[in-house]
Amino acid sequence: MIPGPATTFDAPEASVLNVNEPMLRCESLTQTYLSGGRELTVLKNITFALEAGGFIAIVGPSGSGKSTLLGLLAGLDRPRAGRVVLDGRDLGTLSEDERARLRAEKVGFVFQSFHLIPTLTARENIQVPLELRGEEAAARARADELLARVGLEGRGHHYPAQLSGGEQQRVALARAFSHRPAVLFADEPTGNLDAATGATVIGLMSELNRELGTTLVLVTHDPDLAARARRIIRLADGAVVHDSAAA
Amino acid sequence: MPFVLAMAWRESRASLRRMALLVASIAVGVAALVAISSFTDSLQESVREQARALLGADLALGSASRFSPRAEEELKKVVGEARGTDVSRLVRFGAMAYVPRTTGARLVQVTAVEGGYPFYGRIETRPPGGWERLGEAGGVLVDPALVSALDANVGDALALGEARLAIRGVVTSMPGDVAVRSALGPRVFMSARDLDATGLLTFGSRARYEAYLKIPAAEDPLRLALRHRPALAAERVSLRTVSEDEESLNETLGRLGRYLGLVALIAVLLGGLGVASAVHVFIKRKIETVAVLRCLGATGGTVLAVYLVQAAALGLLGSALGVAIGLGVQAALPMVMAGLLPVEVRFAPSWPAAAAGLGVGLWVAAAFALLPLLSVRHVSPLVVLRRPYETDGPKRRDPVRILAGALLAASVVMLAVLEAPSRASGVGFALGIGGALLALWAAAVALSLALRRFFPSRWPYLWRQGVANLYRPANQTVMVVLALGFGAFLLDTLFLVQHNLLRDLRVDAGADRPNLVLFDIQPDQRAGVEAELRKAGLPVREPVPIVPMRILSLKGQSAGAFLAAGTVPRRAPGERRTPRAGPNPWTLRREYRSTYRGALTSSEKTIAGGEWPPPGWPASGGPAPVSIEKELATELGVHVGDDVVWDVQGRIVPSRVAHLREVSWARFEPNFFVVFPPGPLEGAPQSFVTLSRADDPQVRARVQRRIVESFPNVTTIDLAQVQQALDRIVSKVALAIRFMALFSLATGAVVLVGAVATSRYQRLREAVLLKTLGATRGQILRIALAEYVALGLLASATALLLATGAAWGLVRYFFESRFSLPAAQLSATVLAIVALTVLVGLWTSAEVARKPPLEVLRAE
Ligand SMILES: Nc1ncnc2c1ncn2[C@@H]1O[C@H](COP(=O)(O)OP(=O)(O)O)[C@@H](O)[C@H]1O
Ligand SMILES: [Mg+2]
């Protein structure tokens, strides 16, 4: 259900009409946490924009705030200050449940520790996003297609515990793409995989990015991986210390 | 919605094994509820079917003395009005019986029958046909218990007063037979034609005179009863009808049902607690899944619905299982209650009861699951990016949570009010539960704070680690103490109430207390009886005179007028009598067996009126002063200064209430409702009672036999035998009560396992980590031991304190009885609960300790 120009012509807020409106934009994002009674600034004044179909890598040492930034961009949390606009919608104006619905519509996720639902089979895991949108019938066909796409045909009835790490991550990838999201967020997707398996997963990701025009946001501390992105942002201590687009 | 259902189905597929606790909790609670309400329904049905056979006639007249001429007149009128009425007369009295061929003597309950009683229902005998031959004089039918007690055979002669009657057979079954009733004295049935030959119905002997009427079908017994009751009541003759009997029996059984209903309610609430803790554990394991679902765009409401549907479905499964178990248990209940019920209860599943059980089970599962489930709405999707921090807890003032809490509280109150004997006690019950939960919560919080403050930092590492688990971030202290403590609280309360109620049925038989009672001694027999006692080497006490009398008028109003004016509504136990309701009819109908003496005994205490007897009397003149027992004074509605006129064997004796006493009835002493001063009654016809003691039961039996042979009208009672009979009744009642308590015990155990399992999940990762770091199995178990000992002790000690308070209140105010604390048994229950906690805790931890860490991590 990718909104095409023809079908969304009469929707004024639809981003596709406005070529200048980026898919993802954040302005002066700041996040603080209370830790042991003291306020800890984890992100400081982050601003950047990403066009539709773009591929950005966020890199930096552990603890520099990469996951926090990713969480804010995806609307998993609210920032202390600043704002995030995703596909033309200001996340700050949306309620928790509205953000959830927006995610069901536009966003896909891949995590370092896969996060498949252990009680569901591989196929059922892939079906969840479409089913959440009420597209039960489409979900099955799409799951078959994606299982084949990630090379797991015939493994659909297996539970996550019966799959290897690489296989689990491929299922997670299939799940992330099942509803053809506009943006895919990945938090160290290869962190728990060996180099060869990691390369396969990243290969799949960029293929899908190209085929579907999905905007990719990849958090990693692997420089080789980051190199495949079209743009790299480097974080240190919660601040952007380098942005390849600005360079 | 389809997503919610599909997701719920897929999820529960995997969690059924884990949710077995939830299913079991609901099943046991519902089983108790269904068993009890279905049984009560069957009981009511049986009463309806058997009510006529229970009475044995359409109308029954009864009096504590021979019918007066006016009463006979009234009876004739009834028979005249309903042509074709059949009348049968019974006289019932207590007497000593023995078999000349063998040794020993027994107090028996004699029924002398004249006419075709019973008109409805059958009395079975062995050999058969014995009842039909009863009318032929010269023979008796007896309870099997008498045959064995006196070592008799069918065909032996039975000595009853002056008469010798052949034992023709034994009674094997009769309608309305409460088996325990004969425990205090086996029954003997004889023909009324032999009554005179026994010579037992002399003056002063207590006997009950009854007339049973079979009314032709065309007449309405209730109409006859209403028309003639006032005149009969004035003559102290009570009148019973089948329909009224059925009603009052239903009322009594209904009360029994509601008491059992409260027990079932406790089981259901414990089941709810089991659900809450099972769901709590379940949700803990699901945080990651929930976070992923949230990430993928599921709203808080959708996720909640997924799990609520699961809980409800499992609740339904548990309820269905509970209904099946409950109906099975119901089939066993008549066996447990055997001998305690007046009707034969046939097993008939009550579908309304089953449906209600199903509904209550489903409702309780949903209501108790909702509160812990609500937290899934606040699981942050951020959890997928990193482990949750301590500060990420659920929002405190969540209106939905408060609403769910209120809903839960309302459900508990509603269930309590529905099941409890009265609305007030239902609300009290619910309030007690709320208070107990609050106190447990406070105790748990206090423990965490105290430990943080005064941490035993010098203890060995393993103990420190275990104790630290009680207050560390994400600890389960409050949850476990609540569930465990509440379960223990309900069980302890049940135990304490039961202990106190059953204790009251014990006779105080200390080493120097009398254990042989002789009464109905006529004045001319005093010397002879004392001589017999001395000859056997038994101590002899001063005999106490007994003068039978009745109330003629009260505060200037005649007793007959009070009685004819109608009946005062019966008093339910625990319900205080409203003052000014007038005297209770039994107080006017009964025959008082009063005494006269110049001092109080050791078992009496003055409540009002000062010294006994009043020092000024008889010099002051006026009517004789009397001392009245305080409970009777309440029932009569009299105070010091009120006038009471007595009919003492036809002589009119005026008196004025001058003194009120409290009597400790449990002490085996000749205790009296009414005491006169020496003087006014000395010339009245009277008999004497005396007490003695013999340690050797053989000696007691010989003395009893010797006295009955020489003085057939003197009744002797061996207190040890009475105690044995009482014990038999008590153990029957106790068995029935304990059987019901079993349900609570079973749910309590399920709750315990659930509560401990809650904490287990918390400790799992840590235990695995410790193992990775090189901890041995033993070390991990010792850490768990420290934690569970502390939890178990806190929970069961707090519960015990609360239960003591609750049981004290119940026993004192609801059952109006004395409260005592069985310290030894209580410490045993505390230890048992701690032991069980530790056992379940170690058992679940052992599983972690056994497996290689990798496998556990994968499985989680
Ligand atoms: N809820 C929180 N409370 C306190 N500190 C937090 C919280 N979340 C993250 N932090 C801190 O913020 C910093 C950045 O964390 P994170 O974004 O996970 O880093 P990265 O993903 O780059 O390793 C870390 O120092 C972390 O401890
Ligand atoms: Mg990170």
Side-chain angles (χ1 to χ4, degrees), chain A residues 63 66-68 112 187-188 219, chain B residues 385:
Chain A
K66 305 183 297 288
S67 295
T68 307
Q112 173 173 5
D187 189 9
E188 313 214 15
V219 163
Chain B
L385 296 182

Side-chain angles (χ1 to χ4, degrees), chain A residues 96 103 115 119 124 131 161, chain B residues 10-11 13 294 384 858:
Chain A
E96 173 110 22
R103 281 199 298 274
H115 285 310
T119 50
E124 286 166 353
E131 286 176 335
Chain B
R10 290 171 190 156
E11 277 264 292
R13 204 177 39 192
R294 301 281 281 140
V384 294
R858 257 179 95 90

Side-chain angles (χ1 to χ4, degrees), chain B residues 752-770:
Chain B
L752 179 71
V753 173
V756 172
T758 312
S759 57
R760 183 194 94 118
Y761 178 68
Q762 286 293 314
R763 302 292 163 252
L764 200 66
R765 276 172 192 281
E766 164 195 304
V768 169
L769 194 66
L770 283 172

